[in-house]
């Protein structure tokens, strides 16, 4: 092809003129001695732990493929080729510029006076990404907390590179005193090329199957949804090379200056171990141009202030600061930092809950309601499991993980294997039960995770008006369907629709079996299919509804195998169904966990009266308690398995590193032997 359509690549050696204003570099910072109280000891400390950061090598390989135009120092987006007159750039502005409109849903109006265009440079055409795309792309996030979660996904993906924490907090913009959002982790950090891909569109370095992010779009959508501007500081250490990069993605800068393309000012440094100094990369002229724009449009007035932000990052890690945060329609900041000093809340009125006055408080304080307004509550259920070595720290306090499955009483476990074209497409184990507070609690729905990340919290597959489902909650991890880009929903594929239908049936089935246990009266069940499927788990029976009677067993149940055999023999005669003679659908590929079969065989369930009295059968209570212990033990095994898998991955990486070092040393030894032989000759 004679021409290449790429997203606005520009390099340092372009013939385009640079209009920059001279910026006096801070003495003793660039090209001179710097304070090495932290960098040198950290560099020495982490020289022996290089294996945690092999990601850099793969990043560089991918970079050479993505940037195949021969521009070694280029960025996917314009790197500060300033079209401005030099008089408009200043590094000493005491005020941090604000966007023209502070309300996100009204900030999409943009007038560049030029319109998008395709420019020709060196015989190649360059497709410009218009700044309006930053705003329109961010509208995929309807919910501010969803955008915060997207940024936390990046930190969680860094666990494989040694991350142990992510901090979410507020800071003060040093220029105007307004509040800004801080998100910081101690992962592997980003080298200059990785930073450019982070600021660009459609590039993702995450090849791990367990990685949450995969589209290369989350950083831009989430940061632009939370605020008009974001500045990123990242320090990366690999093979004894330490780099520091600073990048600015500013909708305020682009809109107020009328740019017709996205310009991302960035500056890069590299630590010289022999001289103990920080050296600028990509040439002084390029550096000066980008630094000028950074100082004018960021919250920092000098280069020293910028570099000071690396003081608490350590030898590696990334700090994201989002400022000029958006307001809601009432003129209040969307993120409320003031109501709770240990939380970030969503501003605005909370949704009213229609329930009995005596039950109103317990419903309002329940996690199913609070996660919409409290970031701490939402983050506590955001991940199904996290390593013990990793913490989410919100406003200075660790977020305690909350396992929703532990909130359920009378839980059951149902295995679902969706099929498409006669082939099994996946397997998902659903934990379903009543919330402990039922029937006082009216919430219901399924919490659907994907690759450990919560996508749909309390998803109501059954209508709120349908009383057959009140208080029924489920938890499942569906990895066989793909989430949307904002990770707040799933793609509406046929598999997703099948899952939705199965969960709806699952809710009704569970309700019909267990509603008597919490004081509800059994009601007639509407027909869910024109041709109901009858399996060995259910038998059609007309007439009066009988309580579900499960055969008793001796106090000492005996072996699990014998209990399961007894359950299989008795279940067809014990599960009499609805009042009008309809049976509950149970697909052939869905199997209850064998332990649950044994539980149905082993106990007799007595329905509760409407006053909410407790179960009278001690054997049933014992089995329920034992079941809960087994579930907790199962969760411990799953967590342990995840930790072991991470350890195996690290060990494999270390082995590869040692083998690589061994090959290098052997090659060096061979070359030394040749030199020695030549000297002897």
């Amino acid at each position: 092809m004679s021409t290449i359509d790429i997203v606005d690549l520009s390099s340092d050696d372009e013939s385009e003129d640079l209009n920059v204003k001279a910026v006096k570099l801070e003495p003793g910072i660039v090209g001179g001695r710097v304070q090495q109280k932290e960098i040198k000891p950290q560099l020495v400390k982490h020289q022996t732990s290089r294996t945690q950061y092999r990601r850099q090598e793969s990043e560089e390989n991918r970079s050479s493929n993505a940037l195949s135009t021969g521009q070694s120092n280029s960025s996917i987006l314009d790197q500060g080729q300033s079209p401005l007159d030099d008089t408009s750039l200043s590094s000493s502005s005491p005020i941090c510029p604000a966007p023209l409109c502070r309300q996100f849903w009204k900030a999409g109006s943009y007038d560049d006076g030029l319109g998008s265009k395709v420019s020709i440079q060196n015989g190649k055409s360059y497709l410009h990404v218009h700044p309006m795309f930053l705003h329109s792309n961010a509208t995929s996030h309807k919910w501010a907390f969803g955008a915060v979660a997207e940024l936390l996904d990046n930190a969680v993906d860094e666990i494989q590179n040694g991350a142990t924490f992510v901090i979410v907090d507020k800071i003060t913009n040093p220029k105007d005193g307004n509040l800004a959002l801080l998100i910081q982790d101690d992962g592997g950090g980003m080298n200059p090329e990785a930073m450019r891909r982070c600021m660009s569109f459609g590039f993702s370095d995450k090849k791990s199957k367990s990685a949450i992010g995969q589209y290369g779009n989350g950083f831009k959508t989430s940061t632009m949804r939370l605020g008009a501007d974001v500045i990123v500081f990242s320090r990366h250490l690999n093979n004894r090379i330490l780099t520091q990069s600073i990048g600015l993605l500013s909708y305020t800068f682009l809109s107020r200056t009328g740019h017709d393309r996205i310009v991302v000012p960035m500056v890069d440094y590299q630590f010289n171990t022999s001289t103990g100094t920080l050296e600028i990369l990509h040439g002084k002229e390029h550096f000066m141009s980008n630094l000028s724009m950074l100082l004018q449009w960021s919250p920092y007035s000098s280069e020293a202030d910028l570099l000071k932000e690396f003081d608490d990052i350590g030898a590696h890690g990334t700090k994201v600061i989002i400022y000029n945060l958006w307001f809601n329609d009432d003129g209040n900041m969307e993120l409320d930092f003031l109501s709770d000093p240990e939380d970030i809340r969503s501003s605005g009125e909370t949704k009213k809950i229609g329930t009995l006055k005596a039950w109103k408080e317990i419903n309002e304080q329940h996690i199913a309601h609070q996660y919409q307004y409290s970031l701490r509550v939402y983050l506590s259920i955001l991940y199904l499991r996290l390593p013990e070595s990793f913490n989410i720290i919100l406003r200075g306090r660790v977020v305690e993980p909350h396992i929703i499955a532990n909130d359920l009483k009378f839980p059951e476990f149902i295995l679902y294997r969706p099929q498409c074209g006669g082939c099994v497409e996946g397997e998902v184990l659903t934990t379903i039960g009543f919330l402990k507070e039922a029937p006082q609690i009216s919430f219901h729905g399924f919490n659907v995770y994907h690759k450990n990340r919560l996508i749909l919290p309390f998803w109501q597959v059954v209508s709120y008006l349908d009383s057959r489902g009140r208080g029924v909650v489920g938890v499942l991890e569906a990895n066989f369907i793909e989430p949307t880009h904002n990770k707040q929903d799933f793609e509406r594929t046929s598999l997703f629709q099948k899952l939705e239908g199965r969960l709806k049936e699952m809710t009704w089935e569970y309700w019909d079996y267990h509603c008597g246990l919490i004081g509800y009266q059994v009601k007639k069940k509407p027909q869910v299919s024109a041709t109901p499927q009858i399996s060995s788990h259910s038998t059609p029976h007309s007439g009066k509804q009988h309580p579900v009677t499960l055969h008793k067993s001796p106090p000492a149940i005996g072996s699990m195998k014998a209990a399961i055999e007894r359950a299989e023999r008795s279940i067809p005669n014990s599960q009499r169904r609805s009042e009008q003679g309809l049976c509950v659908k149970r697909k052939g590929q869905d199997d209850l966990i064998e332990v649950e079969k044994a539980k149905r065989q082993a106990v007799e369930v007595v329905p509760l009266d409407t006053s909410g009295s407790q179960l009278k059968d001690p054997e049933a209570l014992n089995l329920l308690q034992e079941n809960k212990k087994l579930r907790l033990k199962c969760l411990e095994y799953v967590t342990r398995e995840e930790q072991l898998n991470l350890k195996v991955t690290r060990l494999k990486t270390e082995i590869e590193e040692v083998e690589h070092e061994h090959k290098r040393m052997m090659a060096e030894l061979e070359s030394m032997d040749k030199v020695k032989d030549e000297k002897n000759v």
Side-chain angles (χ1 to χ4, degrees), residues 423-441:
C423 299
V424 177
E425 295 291 336
E427 183 176 289
V428 57
L429 181 65
T430 301
T431 303
I432 186 172
F434 280 115
L435 288 171
K436 291 178 180 178
E437 299 86 353
Q440 290 89 349
I441 287 291

Side-chain angles (χ1 to χ4, degrees), residues 102-103 325-335 347-348:
R102 293 301 299 270
Q103 294 175 330
L325 300 174
W326 296 116
F327 292 173
N328 59 22
D329 293 338
D330 297 329
N332 299 318
M333 193 176 293
E334 281 188 312
L335 299 179
S347 61

Side-chain angles (χ1 to χ4, degrees), residues 151-213:
L151 294 173
L152 262 64
D153 291 341
N154 293 333
V156 171
D157 285 339
E158 284 295 303
I159 292 176
Q160 61 181 340
N161 295 315
T164 61
F165 67 82
V166 58
I167 295 172
V168 182
D169 210 336
K170 71 172 180 69
I171 63 170
T172 302
N173 186 324
K175 277 189 178 180
D176 58 22
N178 291 327
L179 296 179
L181 179 66
L182 166 70
I183 297 179
Q184 178 179 344
D185 67 69
D186 65 339
M190 294 179 285
N191 73 333
E193 289 301 332
M195 175 78 90
R196 282 163 173 75
R197 285 193 291 275
C198 173
M199 297 290 197
S200 306
F201 289 90
F203 285 83
S204 176
D205 294 322
K206 300 172 183 178
K207 289 189 173 182
S208 171
K209 291 183 178 180
S210 61
I212 302 171

